[in-house]
Amino acid sequence: YRRPEGVLAVSRSIGDARLKPYVTAEPDIVEHTIQDDDMFLVIASDGVWDTMSSDLVAKFCLVNTCKIVEKDLVVDDSLFRWIARQISKRARENGSSDNTSVIVASLRK
């Protein structure tokens, strides 16, 4: 992945004046009203999203934490820490050399 002026990762270059033409400190913000069928939230650094799509991450979470019990979808929240580590590991295996921090949080009551 291309680094500004070949020297710094974007997250570290926001305060570097000579790199201002290449980076912004403005975050991407998306608002979403949480619905009853929303199960989890994945917050991850760009090293994850550089190598994995949001659909792939969501499917990975679903496949590894959900099961059907008596026609009801059951989410095993105790696996979210493990899932976060696996997503980070997968991003590195996919070639990310950037930060691959991940948090998976339950949205269930």
Side-chain angles (χ1 to χ4, degrees), residues 5-20:
E5 295 292 307
V7 292
L8 291 176
V10 172
S11 62
R12 291 180 181 83
S13 63
I14 292 170
D16 194 322
R18 71 185 173 107
L19 298 176
K20 289 291 185 195

Side-chain angles (χ1 to χ4, degrees), residues 32-47:
H32 175 78
T33 302
I34 296 172
Q35 305 292 324
D36 290 339
D37 61 344
D38 291 327
M39 294 179 270
F40 51 83
L41 171 68
V42 177
I43 303 169
S45 60
D46 60 340

